[in-house]
Amino acid sequence: MKNGQLLAEPTLKTTAGSSSKLLNFLIDMKFLLKGKVLVANVLPVFTAYWLALHFHGERFADHWGVFLLTMIGSTLVISGALMLNNWYEVDLDQKMVRTQKRPTVNGNFSLKAVLWMGIITSIVGLVMMLFTTWEATLYSFLGWFVYVVLYTFWTKRRYTLNTVVGSVSGAFTPLIGWAVIAPVNHIVPIVLFCILFIWQIPHTLAITIKRLEDYTRAGVPMLPVVCGVPVTIRQNLIYIITLLPFPFLLVTSFGWFFFSVAIVLTVGWIILAMKGPKTKDVKGWAQANLRFSLIYLFSLFLLMILLTSSIFN
């Protein structure tokens, strides 16, 4: 028995140690890939892919291969862009409280490793997208290029318009999913592009107000850092109001129920945004806006998927 215990205990410790290392690695990857950001970018790819199948009379079961290529390839391209963003912005992240768990900051991953991971992941993702369609590959590259080059390398440290530039990159995601099935000359992907572009701006402004001290300490020229919180609150409201016309453009495609839900969500967000100038708890208001922005986006996309599912037709 003693010999058995002596043999078993090191084995158990080795197994536990391996499990712990794997868990820590996965946690590091979650922070490196900005978990929620990755999901928020992959969801529109899937949604647009699904909608393209529906509006072009295709069956999901007939396109499993291209579906897997699309989801894996686009996820890799987005992941590669996020890795390169973390690699380049490590000096900023070191000054910000909210980014201290990123492996580029705590030293769990070397910067050289992250750089090569970002490059290789981006290339593999784009190569996989080449096996779908040229148009989808083009949108994948454009989204990557805008985020990495125009946003991360160029505007992030120089201009308050960095938020607008960054929003362009995320807006390409529904075009990727749709273009795998058919050319993007349909009202649905074009409107989704516009919604995502506009949505990202108040979503990001809410984050910058909530983390104002972080961005100020890091010297990032975000709108509230340069122009102040009152100006940011007003612009936040303007961007949300500009979302109002888009449900009208989608009535023919999704029906009046979708239109009603979209209008209610948009008006609810506008009402919340209008409370900004009068609030005494700006951080709490920003957190509420941030939470509502996510509810808005996920609700619209989920509803689009459900309304075009076979159980509703």
Side-chain angles (χ1 to χ4, degrees):
M1 290 294 292
K2 290 182 179 180
N3 289 337
Q5 289 176 348
L6 288 172
L7 290 172
E9 286 176 2
T11 303
L12 289 173
K13 289 180 180 179
T14 301
T15 303
S18 299
S19 299
S20 177
K21 288 181 179 178
L22 176 60
L23 179 61
N24 290 335
F25 174 77
L26 293 176
I27 292 173
D28 282 333
M29 288 302 297
K30 172 191 171 184
F31 286 108
L32 182 66
L33 298 177
K34 307 178 183 180
K36 294 178 182 178
V37 176
L38 179 62
V39 173
N41 278 275
V42 174
L43 176 62
V45 177
F46 170 77
T47 302
Y49 178 90
W50 179 276
L51 296 178
L53 290 174
H54 170 78
F55 287 104
H56 289 87
E58 301 286 344
R59 295 176 64 248
F60 188 81
D62 295 334
H63 297 273
W64 270 107
V66 73
F67 170 72
L68 292 175
L69 282 171
T70 301
M71 298 312 299
I72 297 173
S74 62
T75 300
L76 289 176
V77 173
I78 296 166
S79 298
L82 292 171
M83 290 179 191
L84 292 172
N85 174 269
N86 277 343
W87 165 77
Y88 188 74
E89 294 186 353
V90 63
D91 59 321
L92 301 180
D93 291 342
Q94 289 171 344
K95 301 174 184 177
M96 303 175 74
V97 174
R98 73 182 185 92
T99 54
Q100 293 305 299
K101 292 183 179 180
R102 291 181 182 173
T104 47
V105 175
N106 59 31
N108 289 350
F109 291 175
S110 71
L111 290 180
K112 184 177 180 181
V114 173
L115 172 61
W116 280 109
M117 286 167 61
I119 293 172
I120 293 171
T121 302
S122 299
I123 293 173
V124 172
L126 287 170
V127 170
M128 291 185 71
M129 291 305 300
L130 282 171
F131 288 92
T132 60
T133 67
W134 282 101
E135 189 175 357
T137 307
L138 174 63
Y139 296 137
S140 299
F141 173 74
L142 288 175
W144 180 94
F145 180 81
V146 172
Y147 186 77
V148 174
V149 179
L150 301 186
Y151 172 69
T152 301
F153 293 171
W154 181 34
T155 62
K156 179 71 175 283
R157 299 170 186 254
R158 292 178 175 85
Y159 311 108
T160 58
L161 284 175
N162 59 32
T163 301
V164 176
V165 174
S167 297
V168 174
S169 64
F172 277 109
T173 51
L175 303 188
I176 296 170
W178 189 283
V180 170
I181 301 300
V184 181
N185 56 0
H186 191 284
I187 187 67
V188 170
I190 294 172
V191 170
L192 289 182
F193 176 92
C194 295
I195 289 176
L196 268 172
F197 167 66
I198 296 171
W199 171 85
Q200 288 175 92
I201 299 174
H203 173 80
T204 305
L205 292 180
I207 294 174
T208 58
I209 293 175
K210 180 184 175 183
R211 300 289 186 177
L212 182 59
E213 290 80 6
D214 267 358
Y215 286 105
T216 302
R217 188 183 307 110
V220 184
M222 306 302 287
L223 187 63
V225 175
V226 177
C227 301
V229 172
V231 171
T232 306
I233 289 175
R234 288 197 296 272
Q235 291 204 16
N236 176 77
L237 175 60
I238 292 171
Y239 281 113
I240 298 172
I241 290 174
T242 60
L243 288 169
L244 269 176
F246 294 109
F248 291 92
L249 300 176
L250 295 176
V251 170
T252 304
S253 300
F254 297 103
W256 288 102
F257 177 71
F258 172 84
F259 168 82
S260 302
V261 173
I263 287 295
V264 169
L265 285 170
T266 309
V267 171
W269 197 3
I270 291 172
I271 292 172
L272 178 59
M274 290 175 66
K275 296 179 180 179
K278 301 177 182 179
T279 185
K280 295 180 180 179
D281 182 12
V282 176
K283 297 293 179 65
W285 172 84
Q287 175 60 29
N289 268 266
L290 180 60
R291 188 182 301 115
F292 196 95
S293 70
L294 294 171
I295 293 172
Y296 173 91
L297 185 70
F298 281 87
S299 296
L300 286 188
F301 281 17
L302 179 60
L303 188 56
M304 288 178 185
I305 294 172
L306 290 176
L307 290 175
T308 53
S309 299
S310 58
I311 57 174
F312 289 90
N313 295 303

